[in-house]
Amino acid sequence: MENGVWVFIENDAGTIADVSMELLWKGRELADQLRCELGCFIIGHGVSEAASDLIAYGADMVCVADHSQLAHYLTLPYTRIAVELINEYRPSIVLIGATNTGRDLAPRIASHMRTGLTADCTDLQIGEYKFGKRIWKELLLQIRPAFGGNVIATIVTPETRPQMATVREGVFRQPAADSARKGTVVELNPTLTEQDLIFKIVERVKAAKKVNLKSARIIVAGGMGVGSKDNFEIVRELAGVLGGEVGATRAAVDAGFVDHERQIGQTGVTVRPNLYVACGISGAIQHRAGMQESSRIIAINTDANAPIFSIAHYGITGDLNEVIPRMIKAYKEKD
């Protein structure tokens, strides 16, 4: 599978992470552009049954490392197995979710392979790169905000392989299953050494998510323009009337207006609801990266030149303290 595209399939007790499915969708697109195969590898316990599903969702080959002591992520054996697979199959591109696990695993793989790694990408494309008289074709263009979100950087890895990137959950779409797809399943028989198991999991504590912005069909989000934590109630009221969730920018979260779990953007959650109402949000690059693919965007801002208006389908220039109550009243009168 020389020069193929590979995706690391993260799972928890056999349940595949959403970001891994999203990367299968993007990986399939990239592999088709490069005219190569899409491979993936999954490590864990009781994960063999997932192979057929991964093929149905776009993979051409699935490598499965199933072992009772790999049920939960362990840095050393996961890294060793991944590096051995990459050395054997030599994929050109390796994509990993920017989760807690991915942020631990990806740089270790990159270090072993002596290659580059771009973290928290918001887009991946295939293109060429010119430097002096040299031209590299069909490189992975790893796109992400940089310098505090003031610019969008395109990063390439022209000289070393694999080209590696981590991507945050919600950036890409979920693939559609095709049960007629055929593929190859490679069952591995991992052997773990004493050195692999020098770290042990003593206890796992999982906190349930109170907010699920990623699945919300309607989101009303507030920025620093809302003014205060108390004034953020007007955003909550509009969200309640519309039957949506409340979101916020990083600046609003840092100011203490709302909890971090409601943060949308490059350093928060990436969302794509049917309706996104941006209240008092200027539209910095890092925030737009997390919501710009919403089906409909309504922006409310006193500054007619605010960057948010460049991506909004409908823009309202005005004071949100006057505009939102009128929106709420109009919506209630409609009913």
Side-chain angles (χ1 to χ4, degrees):
M1 192 170 168
E2 185 75 16
N3 298 322
V5 178
W6 268 33
V7 174
F8 167 62
I9 305 298
E10 183 178 338
N11 74 95
D12 184 7
T15 301
I16 297 173
D18 286 346
V19 68
S20 297
M21 299 303 293
E22 294 161 7
L23 287 177
L24 274 183
W25 178 85
K26 188 61 180 182
R28 182 72 268 165
E29 178 184 278
L30 297 176
D32 289 343
Q33 286 183 261
L34 293 170
R35 305 167 300 282
C36 67
E37 289 188 320
L38 171 63
C40 63
F41 61 101
I42 182 169
I43 304 171
H45 180 50
V47 294
S48 296
E49 295 180 1
S52 58
D53 291 335
L54 295 171
I55 290 171
Y57 282 110
D60 296 309
M61 184 178 80
V62 182
C63 291
V64 181
D66 198 317
H67 193 287
S68 60
Q69 290 180 290
L70 296 175
H72 304 300
Y73 177 71
L74 291 170
T75 296
L76 297 181
Y78 271 60
T79 299
R80 181 174 62 80
I81 292 169
V83 169
E84 288 174 356
L85 282 170
I86 293 169
N87 277 325
E88 179 177 355
Y89 290 96
R90 313 302 299 180
S92 179
I93 295 171
V94 175
L95 307 178
I96 297 176
T99 61
N100 290 336
T101 294
R103 289 189 174 106
D104 183 75
L105 179 64
R108 293 173 183 275
I109 295 174
S111 178
H112 277 278
M113 301 305 301
R114 296 186 178 276
T115 190
L117 169 67
T118 302
D120 290 338
C121 291
T122 56
D123 195 11
L124 300 169
Q125 300 293 336
I126 300 298
E128 67 176 31
Y129 168 64
K130 298 179 181 179
F131 185 77
K133 295 183 179 180
R134 293 195 63 182
I135 299 177
W136 289 267
K137 295 183 179 295
E138 296 188 331
L139 285 179
L140 178 67
L141 306 183
Q142 304 150 49
I143 302 166
R144 58 154 295 163
F147 294 103
N150 294 314
V151 298
I152 294 293
T154 299
I155 300 168
V156 294
T157 311
E159 300 285 359
T160 58
R161 293 294 179 272
Q163 302 163 90
M164 293 185 61
T166 63
V167 180
R168 294 182 65 86
E169 181 181 348
V171 172
F172 301 126
R173 293 180 173 82
Q174 292 264 355
D178 179 3
S179 58
R181 290 195 82 257
K182 303 296 182 183
T184 303
V185 178
V186 179
E187 291 276 1
L188 307 175
N189 294 304
T191 57
L192 304 185
T193 66
E194 186 177 336
Q195 184 66 24
D196 286 329
L197 302 173
I198 58 174
F199 296 109
K200 298 185 184 300
I201 297 175
V202 176
E203 182 183 8
R204 296 181 81 231
V205 178
K206 294 179 66 176
K209 285 186 177 181
K210 298 178 181 178
V211 180
N212 188 4
L213 288 172
K214 189 167 169 284
S215 299
R217 299 183 63 186
I218 298 173
I219 295 175
V220 180
M224 283 298 290
V226 175
S228 68
K229 182 175 182 178
D230 290 340
N231 206 41
F232 216 89
E233 288 303 314
I234 197 172
V235 175
R236 296 182 189 277
E237 185 179 356
L238 178 58
V241 168
L242 297 178
E245 278 284 4
V246 174
T249 64
R250 177 177 178 175
V253 170
D254 289 346
F257 295 174
V258 291
D259 296 333
H260 179 267
E261 60 189 1
R262 297 191 180 277
Q263 183 175 319
I264 295 169
Q266 175 66 15
T267 53
V269 180
T270 299
V271 298
R272 50 178 83 240
N274 293 340
L275 174 64
Y276 191 92
V277 184
C279 309
I281 294 174
S282 63
I285 291 174
Q286 59 266 40
H287 183 74
R288 299 204 308 268
M291 46 68 70
Q292 61 191 355
E293 291 196 27
S294 302
S295 298
R296 284 290 180 271
I297 300 171
I298 299 175
I300 306 168
N301 203 294
T302 55
D303 181 4
N305 297 314
I308 193 68
F309 287 124
S310 67
I311 62 169
H313 298 92
Y314 305 99
I316 302 173
T317 303
D319 186 340
L320 60 88
N321 294 296
E322 298 176 2
V323 174
I324 291 180
R326 293 174 66 178
M327 292 176 69
I328 293 172
K329 180 181 178 182
Y331 191 83
K332 287 181 176 178
E333 288 178 349
K334 177 183 73 68
D335 296 334

